[in-house]
Coordinates of all heavy atoms in Angstrom, one line a residue:
L274 N 31.6 8.0 -4.6 CA 30.4 8.8 -4.4 C 29.5 8.6 -5.6 O 28.3 8.5 -5.3 CB 30.8 10.2 -4.2 CG 29.6 11.2 -4.0 CD1 28.7 10.8 -2.8 CD2 30.1 12.6 -3.8
R275 N 30.0 8.7 -6.8 CA 29.1 8.5 -7.9 C 28.4 7.2 -7.9 O 27.2 7.0 -8.1 CB 29.9 8.7 -9.2 CG 29.0 9.1 -10.5 CD 28.2 7.9 -11.0 NE 29.2 6.8 -11.4 CZ 28.8 5.6 -11.6 NH1 27.5 5.2 -11.6 NH2 29.8 4.7 -11.9
E276 N 29.2 6.1 -7.6 CA 28.6 4.8 -7.5 C 27.6 4.7 -6.4 O 26.5 4.0 -6.6 CB 29.7 3.8 -7.3 CG 30.7 3.7 -8.5 CD 31.9 2.8 -8.2 OE1 32.0 2.3 -7.1 OE2 32.7 2.6 -9.2
S277 N 27.8 5.3 -5.3 CA 26.9 5.3 -4.2 C 25.6 6.0 -4.5 O 24.5 5.6 -4.2 CB 27.5 5.9 -2.9 OG 28.7 5.2 -2.5
L278 N 25.7 7.2 -5.2 CA 24.5 7.9 -5.6 C 23.7 7.1 -6.6 O 22.5 7.1 -6.6 CB 24.9 9.3 -6.2 CG 25.6 10.3 -5.2 CD1 25.8 11.6 -5.9 CD2 24.7 10.5 -4.0
S279 N 24.4 6.4 -7.5 CA 23.7 5.5 -8.4 C 22.9 4.4 -7.7 O 21.8 4.1 -8.2 CB 24.7 4.9 -9.5 OG 25.0 5.9 -10.4
A280 N 23.5 3.9 -6.6 CA 22.8 2.9 -5.9 C 21.5 3.5 -5.3 O 20.4 2.8 -5.3 CB 23.7 2.3 -4.8
F281 N 21.6 4.7 -4.7 CA 20.4 5.4 -4.2 C 19.4 5.6 -5.3 O 18.2 5.3 -5.2 CB 20.8 6.7 -3.6 CG 19.6 7.6 -3.3 CD1 18.8 7.5 -2.3 CD2 19.3 8.7 -4.2 CE1 17.7 8.3 -2.0 CE2 18.3 9.5 -4.0 CZ 17.4 9.3 -2.9
V282 N 19.8 6.1 -6.5 CA 18.9 6.4 -7.6 C 18.2 5.1 -8.0 O 17.0 5.1 -8.3 CB 19.7 7.0 -8.7 CG1 18.8 7.0 -10.0 CG2 20.1 8.4 -8.4
D283 N 19.0 4.0 -8.2 CA 18.3 2.7 -8.6 C 17.2 2.3 -7.7 O 16.2 1.8 -8.1 CB 19.4 1.6 -8.7 CG 20.3 1.8 -9.9 OD1 19.9 2.6 -10.8 OD2 21.4 1.2 -9.9
K284 N 17.4 2.5 -6.4 CA 16.3 2.2 -5.4 C 15.1 3.1 -5.7 O 14.0 2.6 -5.7 CB 16.8 2.4 -4.0 CG 15.8 2.1 -2.9 CD 15.4 0.7 -2.9 CE 14.4 0.4 -1.8 NZ 13.9 -1.1 -1.8
T285 N 15.3 4.3 -6.0 CA 14.1 5.2 -6.2 C 13.4 4.9 -7.5 O 12.2 5.2 -7.7 CB 14.6 6.7 -6.3 OG1 15.3 6.9 -7.6 CG2 15.4 7.1 -5.1
Q286 N 14.1 4.2 -8.4 CA 13.5 3.9 -9.7 C 12.7 2.6 -9.8 O 12.1 2.3 -10.8 CB 14.6 3.8 -10.8 CG 15.4 5.1 -10.9 CD 14.5 6.3 -11.3 OE1 14.1 6.5 -12.5 NE2 14.3 7.2 -10.4
E287 N 12.6 1.9 -8.7 CA 11.9 0.6 -8.7 C 10.4 0.8 -9.1 O 9.8 -0.2 -9.6 CB 12.0 0.0 -7.3 CG 13.4 -0.5 -7.0 CD 13.5 -1.1 -5.6 OE1 12.5 -1.1 -4.8 OE2 14.5 -1.7 -5.3
T288 N 9.8 1.9 -8.8 CA 8.4 2.2 -9.2 C 8.2 3.1 -10.4 O 7.1 3.5 -10.7 CB 7.6 2.7 -8.0 OG1 8.2 3.9 -7.6 CG2 7.6 1.7 -6.8
V289 N 9.3 3.6 -11.0 CA 9.2 4.5 -12.1 C 9.0 3.8 -13.4 O 9.9 3.7 -14.3 CB 10.5 5.4 -12.1 CG1 10.3 6.5 -13.2 CG2 10.7 6.1 -10.8
T290 N 7.8 3.3 -13.5 CA 7.4 2.5 -14.6 C 6.0 3.0 -15.1 O 5.1 3.3 -14.3 CB 7.2 1.0 -14.2 OG1 8.5 0.4 -13.9 CG2 6.6 0.2 -15.4
G291 N 5.9 3.2 -16.4 CA 4.7 3.7 -16.9 C 4.8 4.4 -18.3 O 5.9 4.2 -18.9
D292 N 3.8 5.1 -18.7 CA 3.8 5.7 -20.0 C 3.6 7.3 -19.9 O 2.7 7.7 -19.1 CB 2.7 5.2 -20.9 CG 2.9 3.7 -21.2 OD1 3.6 3.4 -22.1 OD2 2.3 2.8 -20.5
V293 N 4.4 8.0 -20.7 CA 4.3 9.4 -20.7 C 4.0 9.9 -22.1 O 4.7 9.5 -23.1 CB 5.6 10.1 -20.2 CG1 5.4 11.6 -20.3 CG2 5.9 9.7 -18.8
K294 N 2.9 10.6 -22.3 CA 2.6 11.1 -23.6 C 2.9 12.6 -23.7 O 2.6 13.4 -22.8 CB 1.1 11.0 -23.9 CG 0.6 11.3 -25.3 CD -0.8 11.0 -25.5 CE -1.3 11.3 -26.9 NZ -2.8 11.0 -27.1
L295 N 3.7 13.0 -24.8 CA 4.1 14.4 -25.0 C 3.7 14.9 -26.3 O 3.6 14.1 -27.3 CB 5.6 14.5 -24.9 CG 6.3 14.2 -23.5 CD1 7.8 14.3 -23.7 CD2 5.8 15.1 -22.4
K296 N 3.3 16.1 -26.4 CA 3.0 16.8 -27.7 C 4.2 17.7 -28.0 O 4.6 18.6 -27.3 CB 1.8 17.6 -27.6 CG 1.4 18.4 -28.8 CD 0.0 18.9 -28.8 CE -0.2 20.0 -27.8 NZ -1.6 20.7 -27.9
L297 N 4.8 17.4 -29.2 CA 6.0 18.2 -29.6 C 5.5 19.2 -30.6 O 4.9 18.8 -31.6 CB 7.0 17.2 -30.3 CG 7.4 16.0 -29.5 CD1 8.5 15.2 -30.3 CD2 7.9 16.3 -28.1
Y298 N 5.8 20.4 -30.4 CA 5.4 21.5 -31.3 C 6.3 22.7 -31.3 O 6.4 23.4 -30.2 CB 4.0 21.9 -30.9 CG 3.4 23.0 -31.8 CD1 3.0 22.7 -33.1 CD2 3.1 24.3 -31.3 CE1 2.5 23.6 -34.0 CE2 2.6 25.2 -32.2 CZ 2.3 24.9 -33.5 OH 1.7 25.9 -34.3
K299 N 7.0 22.9 -32.4 CA 7.9 24.1 -32.6 C 8.8 24.3 -31.4 O 8.8 25.4 -30.8 CB 7.0 25.3 -32.9 CG 6.3 25.2 -34.3 CD 5.7 26.5 -34.7 CE 5.1 26.4 -36.1 NZ 6.1 26.2 -37.1
G300 N 9.5 23.3 -31.0 CA 10.5 23.5 -29.9 C 10.0 23.2 -28.5 O 10.7 23.2 -27.6
N301 N 8.7 23.0 -28.4 CA 8.0 22.8 -27.1 C 7.7 21.4 -26.9 O 7.4 20.7 -27.8 CB 6.8 23.7 -27.0 CG 7.0 25.2 -27.1 OD1 7.6 25.8 -26.2 ND2 6.6 25.8 -28.2
M302 N 7.8 21.0 -25.6 CA 7.3 19.7 -25.2 C 6.2 19.9 -24.2 O 6.4 20.4 -23.1 CB 8.5 18.9 -24.6 CG 9.6 18.6 -25.5 SD 11.0 17.8 -24.7 CE 11.7 19.2 -23.7
I303 N 5.0 19.5 -24.6 CA 3.8 19.7 -23.8 C 3.2 18.4 -23.2 O 3.0 17.5 -24.0 CB 2.7 20.5 -24.6 CG1 3.3 21.8 -25.2 CG2 1.5 20.8 -23.8 CD1 2.5 22.3 -26.4
N304 N 3.0 18.4 -21.9 CA 2.4 17.2 -21.3 C 1.1 16.9 -21.9 O 0.2 17.7 -22.1 CB 2.2 17.4 -19.8 CG 3.5 17.6 -19.0 OD1 4.6 17.5 -19.6 ND2 3.4 17.9 -17.8
A305 N 0.9 15.6 -22.2 CA -0.4 15.2 -22.9 C -0.9 13.9 -22.2 O -1.8 13.2 -22.7 CB -0.2 14.9 -24.3
G306 N -0.4 13.6 -21.0 CA -1.0 12.5 -20.2 C 0.1 11.6 -19.7 O 1.2 11.4 -20.3
V307 N -0.1 11.0 -18.5 CA 0.9 10.1 -17.9 C 0.1 9.1 -17.1 O -0.9 9.4 -16.4 CB 1.8 10.9 -17.0 CG1 1.1 11.7 -15.9 CG2 2.8 9.9 -16.3
T308 N 0.5 7.8 -17.1 CA -0.1 6.7 -16.4 C 1.0 5.8 -15.8 O 2.1 5.7 -16.4 CB -1.0 5.9 -17.3 OG1 -0.3 5.3 -18.4 CG2 -2.2 6.7 -17.8
S309 N 0.7 5.2 -14.7 CA 1.6 4.2 -14.1 C 0.9 3.2 -13.2 O 0.0 3.7 -12.5 CB 2.7 4.9 -13.3 OG 3.5 4.0 -12.6
P310 N 1.3 2.0 -13.2 CA 0.7 1.0 -12.3 C 1.1 1.3 -10.8 O 0.5 0.8 -9.9 CB 1.2 -0.3 -12.8 CG 2.5 0.0 -13.5 CD 2.2 1.3 -14.2
Y311 N 2.1 2.2 -10.7 CA 2.6 2.5 -9.3 C 2.2 4.0 -9.0 O 2.8 4.5 -8.1 CB 4.1 2.3 -9.2 CG 4.5 0.9 -9.5 CD1 5.1 0.6 -10.8 CD2 4.4 -0.1 -8.6 CE1 5.5 -0.7 -11.0 CE2 4.9 -1.4 -8.8 CZ 5.4 -1.7 -10.1 OH 5.8 -3.0 -10.3
S312 N 1.3 4.5 -9.7 CA 0.9 5.9 -9.4 C 0.5 6.1 -8.0 O -0.3 5.3 -7.4 CB -0.2 6.3 -10.4 OG -0.6 7.7 -10.1
L313 N 1.0 7.3 -7.4 CA 0.6 7.7 -6.1 C -0.5 8.7 -6.1 O -0.9 9.2 -5.1 CB 1.8 8.2 -5.3 CG 2.9 7.2 -5.1 CD1 4.1 7.9 -4.4 CD2 2.5 6.0 -4.3
Y314 N -0.9 9.1 -7.3 CA -2.0 10.1 -7.4 C -3.4 9.4 -7.3 O -3.7 8.4 -7.9 CB -1.9 10.7 -8.8 CG -3.0 11.8 -9.0 CD1 -2.8 13.1 -8.6 CD2 -4.2 11.4 -9.7 CE1 -3.8 14.0 -8.8 CE2 -5.2 12.4 -9.8 CZ -5.0 13.7 -9.4 OH -5.9 14.6 -9.6
S315 N -4.2 10.0 -6.4 CA -5.5 9.4 -6.2 C -6.5 10.5 -6.5 O -6.6 11.6 -5.8 CB -5.7 9.0 -4.7 OG -7.1 8.7 -4.5
E316 N -7.3 10.3 -7.5 CA -8.4 11.3 -7.8 C -9.4 11.4 -6.6 O -9.9 12.5 -6.4 CB -9.1 10.9 -9.1 CG -10.1 11.9 -9.6 CD -10.7 11.6 -10.9 OE1 -10.2 10.6 -11.6 OE2 -11.6 12.3 -11.4
D317 N -9.6 10.3 -5.9 CA -10.6 10.4 -4.8 C -10.1 11.4 -3.8 O -10.9 12.0 -3.2 CB -10.7 9.0 -4.2 CG -11.5 8.0 -5.1 OD1 -12.2 8.5 -6.0 OD2 -11.3 6.8 -4.9
F318 N -8.8 11.4 -3.5 CA -8.3 12.3 -2.5 C -8.1 13.7 -3.0 O -8.3 14.7 -2.3 CB -7.0 11.8 -1.9 CG -7.1 10.8 -0.9 CD1 -7.1 9.4 -1.2 CD2 -7.2 11.1 0.5 CE1 -7.2 8.4 -0.2 CE2 -7.3 10.2 1.5 CZ -7.4 8.8 1.1
A319 N -7.7 13.9 -4.3 CA -7.3 15.2 -4.8 C -8.5 16.0 -5.4 O -8.4 17.2 -5.6 CB -6.3 15.0 -5.9
T320 N -9.7 15.3 -5.6 CA -10.8 16.0 -6.2 C -11.3 17.2 -5.5 O -11.2 17.3 -4.2 CB -11.9 15.0 -6.4 OG1 -13.0 15.7 -7.1 CG2 -12.5 14.5 -5.1

């Protein structure tokens, strides 16, 4: 089962490529930007 779940996970990770910027401050991790060539986010649609 663990091996099978890993196979599923690996398939999901084919597009998980990109850069994540975080701000570290006194125990907190704050989002500071994310980009990916495989991004499904469209500003044109979401605006």
Side-chain angles (χ1 to χ4, degrees):
L274 179 55
R275 200 283 304 166
E276 293 172 356
S277 298
L278 294 184
S279 283
F281 165 79
V282 168
D283 285 344
K284 179 63 178 179
T285 70
Q286 299 300 285
E287 290 180 353
T288 60
V289 185
T290 294
D292 295 278
V293 180
K294 187 176 183 181
L295 297 176
K296 179 167 68 174
L297 311 180
Y298 182 68
K299 291 188 177 296
N301 296 291
M302 297 174 289
I303 303 165
N304 294 354
V307 56
T308 60
S309 171
Y311 302 100
S312 176
L313 299 176
Y314 180 86
S315 171
E316 188 175 349
D317 289 339
F318 277 91
T320 182

